Amino acid sequence: MDVGQLQRQFTDYTASLFREGFLDDQFTQLQKLQDENNPDFVFEVVSLFFDDSEKLVNNMAKALEQQTVEFKQVDAHVHQFKGSSSSVGAHRVKNVCVTFRNFCEQQNIEGCKRCLQQLRHEYSLLKSKLETLFRLEQQIIAAGGSIPMVE
Amino acid sequence: MEISGVLSRRNMPDEIGGFDLSPGHSEEEAHVLAVDDSLVDRKVIERLLKISSCKVTAVDSGRRALQFLGLDEEKNSAALDGLKVDLIITDYCMPGMTGYELLKKIKESSTFRETPVVIMSSENILTRIDRCLEEGAEDFIVKPVKLSDVKRLKDYMTREDRDGNEGRGINKRKLGEACDVSPSFSSSPPSISSSSSSWSAPSSPTSLDSPTRRLKTSTCD
């Protein structure tokens, strides 16, 4: 595949991620912060986000498994997750966090557990999609091209 | 205490006990102290500031921020070595010390009460915003922070410079003067209604030009 085709694939794929709500404007903001001097910025932030997420999701799971669930504790983790997902533009993940926090407030354990499952689902979906995106970037660079700029 | 004024950063180590210092700055660049417990947010704010030509020191807690500023019991800070801080930007919700508590401590200090403090929060709660502004915060940014937010912050710093302080940044009171200034120098807390940006007045440079600034709508819960 030539560079042009790869670049088009990249642009189309990125557009679909926005269209389907996986990403929002904040992701575009991050892309704007990337340049020749910081070519891996988005990748680095997203990697930090995924590392952070693993820990937070595990903490939430543990907290929900307790005999007596400390909803404030669960909410604190969700709040953190909501914050970081919002900062990277992880739109769907963030929305699940919003619902999750409502269930925490209502002390609805079933609702919380459902949200946790949804969270895991959305988060792994996003992870694999972003991995695809980064792979495309690598391919473009390897083929000697440059990453198409965001509108 | 011998104050040699603003020193070149070249002699400073990049890491001071957990502080993340960006290398290679000049005296003309504004220096911002960013405080956020979230690693992701720290990375983003740091980049936003650097791309806006600011030097950045990013710390992960209010306690570290106070240590850096020399406002904790240790009095062992990079700032006391002549490193100016032109702006402090802090997250509101942090474990241990909140951004609000940090703001109060900064405003209580003689060395840094003039330094603009900006609060960031993911939650657009009016009472929270008002409380922070009343305590002397320059501005309140609803997360996620964007480039346009940081550009706005730069306006404070540039505007202050233009008021005839030869680009020394907002923390105009040199550290040596802290001993000379009488406690009555800054009598009232900065309020947003006093829109004068004259540097001699302890008023906030924030003017009423865009009240919507405070109430940025965002997709918060």
Side-chain angles (χ1 to χ4, degrees), chain A:
Chain A
M1 214 183 289
D2 71 1
V3 178
Q5 279 178 293
L6 285 169
Q7 287 171 327
R8 266 191 304 282
Q9 249 198 316
F10 175 84
T11 307
D12 289 345
Y13 194 68
T14 308
S16 73
L17 292 182
F18 279 90
R19 209 171 39 242
E20 291 160 25
F22 287 100
L23 299 174
D24 63 27
D25 181 62
Q26 187 62 16
F27 189 80
T28 312
Q29 287 286 314
L30 295 188
Q31 287 178 310
K32 287 189 179 147
L33 300 179
Q34 189 161 282
D35 59 22
E36 323 74 55
N37 299 320
N38 291 266
D40 300 316
F41 178 70
V42 180
F43 178 78
E44 286 166 4
V45 178
V46 167
S47 304
L48 282 177
F49 168 66
F50 285 128
D51 288 343
D52 218 26
S53 309
E54 287 282 352
K55 293 191 204 113
L56 287 170
V57 168
N58 287 336
N59 290 340
M60 285 173 218
K62 274 201 209 98
L64 286 171
E65 280 158 23
Q66 299 304 307
Q67 278 279 35
T68 321
V69 175
E70 291 278 353
F71 287 100
K72 278 201 154 55
Q73 218 4 288
V74 181
D75 183 66
H77 296 311
V78 182
H79 172 76
Q80 246 190 294
F81 200 13
K82 177 175 164 262
S84 53
S85 57
S86 153
S87 293
V88 303
H91 188 74
R92 280 158 62 145
V93 171
K94 185 194 71 178
N95 286 344
V96 178
C97 289
V98 173
T99 312
F100 201 155
R101 289 197 80 192
N102 289 335
F103 283 127
C104 287
E105 211 183 334
Q106 295 161 23
Q107 309 217 343
N108 181 335
I109 187 137
E110 283 314 312
C112 283
K113 286 184 171 166
R114 270 201 313 273
C115 276
L116 180 62
Q117 238 180 316
Q118 239 192 311
L119 214 50
R120 283 197 207 266
H121 172 73
E122 286 297 339
Y123 151 81
S124 18
L125 209 52
L126 178 66
K127 190 161 190 221
S128 72
K129 285 185 184 285
L130 285 178
E131 277 165 1
T132 303
L133 192 68
F134 291 132
R135 235 186 343 265
L136 270 172
E137 276 193 1
Q138 296 302 323
Q139 286 178 287
I140 292 171
I141 292 170
S146 59
I147 314 298
M149 283 304 345
V150 195
E151 287 304 302

Side-chain angles (χ1 to χ4, degrees), chain B residues 54-159:
Chain B
C54 296
K55 295 182 286 190
V56 187
T57 300
V59 301
D60 63 4
S61 69
R63 181 123 189 280
R64 292 259 206 214
L66 293 178
Q67 279 173 359
F68 183 80
L69 297 170
L71 298 179
D72 69 337
E73 311 79 53
E74 301 303 315
K75 297 275 188 256
N76 176 28
S77 84
L80 283 180
D81 291 341
L83 186 70
K84 65 184 170 80
V85 176
D86 297 298
L87 178 80
I88 297 166
I89 182 164
T90 177
D91 190 27
Y92 185 95
C93 280
M94 295 188 291
M97 189 187 301
T98 66
Y100 177 69
E101 286 158 358
L102 176 61
L103 166 69
K104 284 205 287 191
K105 289 224 149 58
I106 291 167
K107 291 302 171 187
E108 281 162 20
S109 80
S110 53
T111 31
F112 291 104
R113 66 156 65 101
E114 299 292 305
T115 307
V117 181
V118 173
I119 310 281
M120 303 179 280
S121 176
S122 56
E123 287 162 319
N124 197 358
I125 300 172
L126 204 44
T127 47
R128 177 181 291 187
I129 297 172
D130 282 345
R131 204 194 319 149
C132 289
L133 293 174
E134 271 161 39
E135 201 57 46
E138 215 58 45
D139 205 340
F140 190 100
I141 297 175
V142 180
K143 284 179 159 182
V145 185
K146 302 175 165 16
L147 251 181
S148 52
D149 296 318
V150 176
K151 289 209 162 97
R152 192 173 80 223
L153 297 183
K154 286 230 76 186
D155 286 345
Y156 301 139
M157 300 189 259
T158 331
R159 205 187 312 157

